[in-house]
Amino acid sequence: IQQLEEKIDGPEGWGTLNTRHVLASAMLDQGCASEAKAELRDILSRREKIDGPDASVTHVSRYVFALAMLENGDPAGAQAVLDAVPDLSARLDWYPMRAARLAFVRGKVADALSRREEATVYLTEARRIYSEHLPEDHLYRRQLEDYITQRGGL
């Protein structure tokens, strides 16, 4: 699929970058964090150049890259990446699921940096959004609830 997108869109086309982002996210979900991190680093660089540093798609790539960094044992690096993501809740192109995923990633990074109270605020926000928009058995909701249970609750 990626090769087809590149032939149609070129290596920096919107479809190509989206396909690569989805594949990198899947790699991350499958436990291939180091491969995902390398792919996401390149995608983020291209998104910043093509779409701009403040585009929604750039911010999405940024927080997924931060998660890959965290999964690779670099919570300080993940926090540095997240520091470039402002509060996006007022933007019309910032969907609730993006806000929830970002809050979940911020919570995990804060936990990894031993900032439990901050993490609790983010995880509570993610839980609130997911409960408003997703059924209880949705994968994202289950992942969040499993994480909250593993950390000993909110």
Side-chain angles (χ1 to χ4, degrees), residues 35-55:
E35 294 90 343
K37 179 182 164 188
E39 185 71 7
L40 287 159
R41 175 179 283 130
D42 183 65
I43 293 165
L44 179 57
S45 172
R46 291 173 191 264
R47 288 230 192 260
E48 287 175 336
K49 181 176 86 174
I50 296 161
D51 299 309
D54 196 41

Side-chain angles (χ1 to χ4, degrees), residues 104-123:
F104 188 15
V105 172
R106 287 189 194 275
K108 289 176 82 170
V109 170
D111 264 342
L113 294 171
S114 301
R115 299 190 318 241
R116 187 169 175 84
E117 288 181 27
E118 179 183 340
T120 298
V121 170
Y122 288 125
L123 296 171

Side-chain angles (χ1 to χ4, degrees), residues 55-70:
S56 289
V57 292
T58 304
H59 289 309
V60 171
S61 291
R62 193 170 280 127
Y63 74 70
V64 177
F65 177 55
L67 181 58
M69 292 183 78
L70 177 65

